[in-house]
Amino acid sequence: MFRKEVYKRRRAELHRLLAAAMPEGKAGIAVFIGNAEAPQNYRGNDYRFRQESSFLYYWGIDEPCFAAVLDIDSGKECIYGDDVEIGDIIWMGPQPSVASKAESVGVESSAPYAEFDRAVASAVSKGRHVHFLPASRYYNVLKTSSLTGCPPESVRKVATLQDGELHASLELTSAVISMRLVKEECEIEEIDKACEIGYLMHTEARRSCKPGVCEQEIVGRMEGVTISRGWGVSFATILSQHGETLHNHRHDGIITPGKLLLVDAGAESNTHYASDFTRTVPCGGKFSPVQRDIYDIVVACNDLAYDMAAPGVSYRDVHLAVAARMLEGLKALDLVRGDVQDMVTEGIAGMFMPHGLGHNMGIDVHDMEDLGEDLVGYDPGQRRSSQLGLGSLRMARVLKPGHVVTDEPGIYFIPALIAKWKAEGTGKDFINYGKLEKGYLDFGGIRLEDDLLITPDGCRRLGSRRLPIYPDEVEAAMAAE
Ligand code: GLY
Ligand code: MN
């Protein structure tokens, strides 16, 4: 938890933004519903608790079954939660009071959780706007629906409340996004911490990548690093010798020389800030010439994004420049042919990189995507492409100091996609299908990911040191381990 002044300042700014966005005296209330415990099977055997991220950002309390109301018209705020009683104390030990927890984040007023329901019901009965965020967990969807009367299927729909319909509030969602997108100094310190843990995780993975070892064992060793130093992983670890499957969560392979091991994994600091790194290493400790050729292109793309990322530059343009760099490299290998800019326009890069260059990162590894990918990642006036690859770009905005984005180009040879495009005739004027089919169908995939903080004059890589990335350093590190 940060100092109480951090939360007070954030709520004051949110209040200012909301009051400015809505008619005076008719704004209503903004409600925040923290997460509840989620049972794995019976109540009492719950998944590890993780607080709802916007609740954490404004109200700081990292415990289940809290809620909060900010009255936009009056500026009053209240936190709702239940004090423990003897039955809880027997199982959980003594706990600070709700009032003292509220005080620790600078909120003077607190009340039992049931009062939250009454506060919302009272606002609804008076015809006041009830602004809520699009909930991600089903418990919160149902709770929001039952409190406000909004049908569950509309709880995740975001639109202006001034239209009189019941759904999540565009005004609240936009204000929250605008604040959480630009990271404060104390948040950057936490992301740096998560990156330090991420560095150690990936070091463990690279050291453990020895012929005959099961992928699952490497995952276990890596995840032990995060649990012993931070909260845990920031998303389910991707670790596979089938890196061509973008999010491959199967870990039953045995490390086999000649293959590439793709490891995409990150940590959450104890305050829940994320890191997200990807490295791809040769399983026998040395890249083959064919692997190295492709690897060199991906490193060049990663470095290009780092060189370009700066205030005033749109990340969409960085993605497109990376696509051009990738196609130039593939052209030099005669895997594609023709004019590079024509290929970029035609979306040919999507065959090799069917995902976007990066996403926002913060309290969530894909920061705020629960609030709406386009609202978070696209400036007003920017439209998401329908092309494969560019269409999956989650962060297209013009960059500003304080943005934190991932830089994660990749090249993959996906047999099913190659077969589909070839059968359709897609890209037939550019793609050398003969060469792809002859030498690359069992290649796998390479992705290389760093985390960037946009600074006033460019960007810096988060964490105090960069994981080995250039092929010689990767091979040297593996030879020494
Ligand atoms: N690290 C997983 C992803 O960015 O989707
Ligand atoms: Mn990522």
Side-chain angles (χ1 to χ4, degrees):
M1 190 184 281
F2 299 119
R3 292 174 302 113
K4 70 169 79 165
E5 288 70 28
V6 169
Y7 302 103
K8 285 174 80 165
R9 191 180 63 232
R10 289 175 181 173
R11 292 192 303 270
E13 175 63 5
L14 179 66
H15 182 228
R16 190 189 69 73
L17 289 171
L18 291 173
M22 284 176 276
E24 204 177 329
K26 296 210 180 319
I29 61 171
V31 301
F32 292 81
I33 304 175
N35 280 336
E37 298 278 24
Q40 292 193 50
N41 29 53
Y42 60 90
R43 271 310 326 271
N45 185 21
D46 299 315
Y47 287 106
R48 194 157 175 225
F49 178 73
R50 171 58 155 83
Q51 185 57 286
E52 198 278 327
S53 296
S54 291
F55 188 88
L56 202 56
Y57 183 83
Y58 289 104
W59 306 92
I61 299 176
D62 190 5
E63 290 173 44
C65 283
F66 275 81
V69 170
L70 169 63
D71 189 313
I72 307 163
D73 296 314
S74 69
K76 285 194 183 139
E77 8 177 83
C78 186
I79 283 185
Y80 301 86
D82 290 329
D83 281 321
V84 290
E85 44 188 58
I86 187 64
D88 307 303
I89 293 172
I90 290 169
W91 292 95
M92 300 157 55
Q95 307 289 322
S97 67
V98 169
S100 69
K101 288 175 189 169
E103 202 278 328
S104 72
V105 291
V107 177
E108 284 172 14
S109 177
S110 64
Y113 197 69
E115 291 297 324
F116 173 64
D117 296 17
R118 284 194 265 281
V120 179
S122 160
V124 169
S125 72
K126 289 179 187 147
R128 300 183 73 196
H129 288 310
V130 176
H131 297 264
F132 57 84
L133 296 169
S136 54
R137 294 224 186 146
Y138 288 111
Y139 171 88
N140 292 11
V141 170
L142 294 178
K143 176 133 190 101
T144 305
S145 172
S146 74
L147 286 177
T148 61
C150 175
E153 60 275 16
S154 297
V155 167
R156 290 179 177 161
K157 180 183 157 197
V158 182
T160 175
L161 287 205
Q162 309 297 330
D163 67 3
E165 303 285 322
L166 286 171
H167 42 60
S169 161
L170 178 64
E171 291 83 355
L172 177 60
T173 305
S174 303
V176 169
I177 289 171
S178 71
M179 290 182 66
R180 284 182 56 193
L181 262 182
V182 178
K183 272 62 182 179
E184 301 162 357
E185 205 49 53
C186 61
E187 297 185 279
I188 293 163
E189 280 172 25
E190 288 300 313
I191 298 173
D192 270 326
K193 281 184 203 161
C195 289
E196 292 297 332
I197 304 171
Y199 181 96
L200 296 174
M201 284 174 84
H202 278 265
T203 303
E204 184 64 46
R206 196 186 58 241
R207 286 192 180 140
S208 302
C209 178
K210 302 281 184 211
V213 174
C214 182
E215 291 167 355
Q216 181 177 350
E217 190 178 334
I218 307 177
V219 173
R221 289 187 195 167
M222 286 178 81
E223 295 194 353
V225 171
T226 73
I227 295 165
S228 58
R229 289 174 173 79
W231 185 79
V233 293
S234 52
F235 58 97
T237 295
I238 299 160
L239 183 147
S240 175
Q241 293 164 100
H242 279 284
E244 77 280 9
T245 302
L246 300 184
H247 280 183
N248 198 337
H249 295 301
R250 286 189 65 151
H251 308 304
D252 53 359
I254 303 295
I255 297 300
T256 305
K259 292 193 171 183
L260 293 166
L261 180 69
L262 186 151
V263 183
D264 181 349
E268 235 178 72
S269 72
N270 282 325
T271 53
H272 303 293
Y273 282 83
S275 64
D276 183 6
F277 295 119
T278 309
R279 288 294 184 266
T280 308
V281 299
C283 291
K286 275 205 158 302
F287 293 100
S288 73
V290 174
Q291 289 170 343
R292 198 171 174 128
D293 282 344
I294 300 297
Y295 191 97
D296 283 340
I297 303 171
V298 184
V299 185
C301 290
N302 176 301
D303 283 346
L304 175 65
Y306 169 76
D307 290 341
M308 285 185 71
V313 177
S314 84
Y315 216 47
R316 184 178 188 278
D317 284 348
V318 182
H319 173 108
L320 289 170
V322 161
R325 178 66 189 81
M326 185 175 289
L327 290 163
E328 264 169 32
L330 294 169
K331 183 174 170 178
L333 298 175
D334 195 31
L335 287 168
V336 295
R337 296 167 176 168
D339 180 78
V340 166
Q341 277 315 317
D342 287 349
M343 286 192 269
V344 171
T345 306
E346 292 295 315
I348 301 301
M351 155 68 91
F352 303 96
M353 185 171 100
H355 61 73
L357 177 64
H359 49 85
N360 290 288
M361 195 183 78
I363 305 183
D364 309 322
V365 65
H366 281 205
D367 210 22
M368 298 179 281
E369 287 186 4
D370 53 328
L371 304 182
E373 264 186 51
D374 286 5
L375 281 175
V376 171
Y378 285 71
D379 284 317
Q382 279 183 324
R383 293 281 301 278
R384 192 184 269 254
S385 162
S386 58
Q387 278 178 347
L388 188 66
L390 183 57
S392 292
L393 181 61
R394 300 171 127 96
M395 171 55 168
R397 284 178 184 265
V398 173
L399 298 169
K400 289 186 189 163
H403 284 170
V404 169
V405 295
T406 63
D407 165 9
E408 52 179 308
I411 294 181
Y412 315 88
F413 297 92
I414 305 171
L417 183 60
I418 293 169
K420 179 173 187 290
W421 275 33
K422 185 182 175 196
E424 292 167 353
T426 307
K428 64 180 176 351
D429 298 333
F430 301 108
I431 297 173
N432 184 350
Y433 283 107
K435 187 159 183 184
L436 277 181
E437 287 174 337
K438 200 151 164 240
Y440 290 84
L441 293 184
D442 62 353
F443 182 98
I446 294 173
R447 178 161 67 252
L448 297 170
E449 177 177 22
D450 293 321
D451 303 330
L452 307 181
L453 168 69
I454 308 304
T455 57
D457 51 4
C459 70
R460 81 162 168 90
R461 292 190 185 96
L462 285 147
S464 66
R465 48 206 165 152
R466 191 183 191 192
L467 281 159
I469 192 165
Y470 298 108
D472 288 344
E473 22 167 46
V474 172
E475 289 182 354
M478 293 184 85
E481 284 159 353

